[in-house]
Amino acid sequence: LVIDALCSLLSEEAAETQLLPDLLKQCAMQLVATLQDPKHAPAMKRHAQQLEKIEKLWPIANVLKIPGSPPRPGASAASAPSQPLSARDLGLDLDGVWKAEDGSVIGTISGS
C-alpha cells in the first residue's frame, strides 16, 4: 500500500505544488530504500512505468534497477560505486537525529 501511494505521488509533476519539496525528497528516499529489498520486486514490476517517470523527476531514484527498462548510459557494473551513496553524494540537504523513547541518541544524519 505504501509503495502504491508513493509511486502515485512521486510520479505526478504537480506533487510539488501540493507538498514541500523536502518532504517529497524524503518520500523519494523512502521509496528507493523500500524497493531495494528484493521482496518488493513484484511491486517494482507493477509500477515500472511510474518508476521511470519518478527517475526523471527525482534523481535519487536512478539507483533503482527497474525490470524491463533499458540500461541507463554509464550504468554498468564497472561504473557503479563501490560504496553506498550518502545523502550528500545525492545532493540532498538533510540533517536529523534519531532518538530512542528514553531520549538517548541512537543515530544521526548530516547531508548539508
Side-chain angles (χ1 to χ4, degrees):
L1 183 60
V2 172
I3 293 171
D4 295 340
L6 289 175
C7 284
S8 294
L9 173 67
L10 295 169
S11 64
E12 292 297 324
E13 291 182 38
E16 285 188 343
T17 64
Q18 298 176 25
L19 295 171
L20 294 172
D22 285 343
L23 177 59
L24 290 169
K25 284 181 190 177
Q26 291 176 18
C27 288
M29 286 189 353
Q30 184 63 46
L31 178 63
V32 168
T34 301
L35 292 176
Q36 294 296 324
D37 189 332
K39 74 179 180 184
H40 296 298
M44 284 187 73
K45 289 179 185 175
R46 263 193 334 270
H47 294 286
Q49 288 181 332
Q50 287 177 313
L51 290 169
E52 287 178 16
K53 287 176 75 177
I54 291 168
E55 281 185 326
K56 293 174 185 165
L57 297 170
W58 304 101
I60 189 173
N62 288 323
V63 300
L64 294 173
K65 294 177 183 161
I66 302 170
S69 68
R72 288 177 292 287
S76 69
S79 67
S82 59
Q83 297 294 323
L85 296 175
S86 69
R88 182 174 293 143
D89 294 333
L90 297 169
L92 300 173
D93 185 18
L94 300 172
D95 290 309
V97 176
W98 286 272
K99 293 185 178 181
E101 289 181 10
D102 65 3
S104 62
V105 174
I106 57 175
T108 63
I109 185 171
S110 176
S112 55

